């Protein structure tokens, strides 16, 4: 069984061993090369979000399991006195067409808040695709660069380094970089982690098939 600090490679290996699958069988199921799967299992390679979706669909598991979180885990009672931390350079990095996500403090499941460091890649709404919406509320702080927050209710809001915003995440939204270098933000969502990951996966799938 994997623990909370397991890497994607550890999780993939645990799923494969649990089902007694060979790398060749997993390759056939997912369409990912054996060499790619081997590098992932040995923590020599990370997968982009579309490849994670492909892997989850091929293995017939909820994508949140690849993040080390069990679907429905948020329903269990929380423990008191929990603490975790992430050192510089650590975290779970997920690359999508719109954002580079770095999930931090992933060792604790059933969190009330999901902290993410993100880099906004898209620069136009056409490039971004459909606006994202999910349950809960969202706070972000601009670490570097400048971006525009687009929502389906308000006029675009331009924010620079040091600026921040808090909004209802059920409102469709998108972060667009407007500075020369892609903007970097600290984002905190009150959405249950399993639902947030699934929402982002569905958004990525929609964009890939549109």
């Amino acid at each position: 069984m994997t623990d909370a600090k397991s890497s994607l490679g550890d999780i993939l290996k645990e799923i494969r061993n649990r089902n007694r699958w060979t790398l060749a069988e997993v390759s056939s199921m997912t369409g990912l090369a054996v060499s790619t799967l081997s590098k992932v299992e040995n923590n020599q390679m990370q997968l982009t979000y579309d490849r994670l979706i492909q892997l989850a669909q091929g293995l017939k598991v909820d994508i949140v399991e690849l993040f080390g979180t069990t679907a429905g885990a948020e329903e269990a009672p929380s423990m008191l006195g929990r603490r975790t931390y992430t050192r510089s350079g650590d975290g779970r990095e997920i690359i999508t067409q719109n954002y580079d996500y770095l999930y931090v403090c992933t060792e604790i499941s059933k969190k009330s808040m999901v902290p993410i460091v993100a880099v906004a890649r898209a620069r136009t709404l056409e490039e971004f695709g459909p606006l994202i919406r999910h349950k809960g509320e969202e706070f972000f702080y601009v670490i570097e660069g400048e971006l525009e927050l687009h929502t389906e209710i308000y006029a675009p809001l331009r924010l620079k380094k040091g600026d921040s915003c808090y909004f209802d995440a059920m409102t469709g939204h998108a972060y667009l970089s407007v500075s020369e270098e892609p903007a970097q933000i600290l984002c905190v969502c009150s959405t249950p982690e399993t639902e947030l990951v699934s929402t982002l996966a569905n958004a990525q799938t929609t964009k890939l098939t549109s």
Side-chain angles (χ1 to χ4, degrees):
M1 178 180 295
T2 56
D3 59 30
K5 294 187 178 181
S6 299
S7 65
L8 173 61
D10 296 330
I11 294 167
L12 174 57
K13 187 178 296 183
E14 194 277 330
I15 293 173
R16 187 170 63 80
N17 290 338
R18 183 203 316 159
N19 292 279
R20 299 182 179 179
W21 292 329
T22 65
L23 282 173
E25 288 173 325
V26 173
S27 176
S28 178
M29 295 162 61
T30 63
L32 298 175
V34 170
S35 58
T36 296
L37 295 169
S38 178
K39 289 178 180 177
V40 171
E41 284 199 356
N42 288 288
N43 298 312
Q44 298 173 348
M45 180 180 182
Q46 292 292 328
L47 295 180
T48 56
Y49 219 1
D50 58 321
R51 292 292 184 239
L52 277 175
I53 295 169
Q54 183 178 343
L55 179 63
Q57 291 175 339
L59 296 176
K60 293 182 171 54
V61 300
D62 194 310
I63 191 172
V64 298
E65 187 170 346
L66 301 181
F67 284 72
T69 303
T70 303
E74 279 74 19
E75 298 173 2
S78 298
M79 295 178 62
L80 298 177
R82 301 186 301 170
R83 189 201 78 167
T84 188
Y85 59 90
T86 299
R87 298 288 190 187
S88 176
D90 291 340
R92 296 241 173 109
E93 186 176 24
I94 303 296
I95 307 300
T96 74
Q97 294 181 0
N98 290 330
Y99 303 112
D100 295 352
Y101 295 105
L102 180 66
Y103 284 78
V104 293
C105 298
T106 58
E107 290 79 8
I108 290 181
S109 62
K110 303 180 288 293
K111 295 190 290 291
S112 298
M113 301 178 293
V114 181
I116 307 167
V117 179
V119 175
R121 295 293 180 186
R123 293 184 176 275
T124 66
L125 286 177
E126 291 74 21
E127 180 185 356
F128 187 91
L131 299 179
I132 293 176
R133 57 174 54 79
H134 50 84
K135 290 181 181 178
E137 298 174 327
E138 189 162 332
F139 166 83
F140 73 91
Y141 175 90
V142 182
I143 300 173
E144 293 289 347
E146 186 175 354
L147 61 74
E148 279 187 350
L149 171 65
H150 287 253
T151 67
E152 57 190 356
I153 296 178
Y154 299 101
L157 174 64
R158 183 165 292 207
L159 298 167
K160 300 180 179 180
K161 178 179 179 179
D163 293 341
S164 59
C165 182
Y166 188 106
F167 61 94
D168 179 356
M170 280 297 292
T171 301
H173 56 279
Y175 300 123
L176 303 180
S177 281
V178 294
S179 50
E180 183 175 351
E181 294 296 325
Q184 183 180 35
I185 61 174
L186 169 64
C187 182
V188 181
C189 301
S190 65
T191 313
E193 191 165 19
T194 53
E195 181 176 328
L196 181 61
V197 173
S198 295
T199 297
L200 297 177
N202 290 335
Q204 181 73 1
T205 302
T206 299
K207 182 170 183 181
L208 289 172
T209 57
S210 61

